[in-house]
Amino acid sequence: MIVAFSVTPLGVGEDVGEAVAAAVKVVRDSGLPNRTDAMFTSIEGEWDEVMPVVRAAIEAVKEYANRVSTVIKIDDRAGVGGGLTAKVESVERHLAALEDRGQ
């Protein structure tokens, strides 16, 4: 499964980078495949591997704020691994094909 999530501390002003970095560190330290972009962090693994990491990331942000907002999106597809890279590679192949056709 791939879980994309965003954890935001509330009531601490506009600069939330330090709190978000604490959450991302938890994810990276997990050893599971992951990717962070401007809006979400995605992590890949089995349910019992991924969800404790998400919870720990939320707890890390709670060190900076009493209130935390979390958005979670889950793609749970049995028997599929390597989805973090495979999905992006598929889109890139399709984009290249469109460009080759002049679209």
Side-chain angles (χ1 to χ4, degrees):
M1 79 184 327
I2 297 173
V3 175
F5 71 103
S6 172
V7 183
T8 306
L10 301 177
V12 297
E14 290 184 25
D15 185 5
V16 297
E18 185 178 1
V20 171
V24 172
K25 182 172 181 352
V26 167
V27 173
R28 290 185 179 172
D29 288 350
S30 76
L32 294 172
N34 65 84
R35 177 173 292 148
T36 299
D37 62 36
M39 296 292 294
F40 285 91
T41 294
S42 297
I43 185 170
E44 184 173 12
E46 298 298 321
W47 182 273
D48 292 339
E49 297 172 313
V50 172
M51 295 313 287
V53 176
V54 172
R55 182 175 185 167
I58 293 167
E59 293 300 321
V61 173
K62 284 184 179 178
E63 296 292 322
Y64 296 85
N66 289 329
R67 187 174 181 190
V68 174
S69 173
T70 305
V71 176
I72 301 174
K73 181 175 181 178
I74 299 172
D75 180 356
D76 190 0
R77 187 173 176 194
V80 175
L84 276 178
T85 55
K87 286 182 171 201
V88 174
E89 289 169 354
S90 174
V91 170
E92 292 297 337
R93 278 194 311 278
H94 288 287
L95 283 170
L98 289 171
E99 290 172 359
D100 288 345
R101 292 192 304 247
Q103 295 180 334

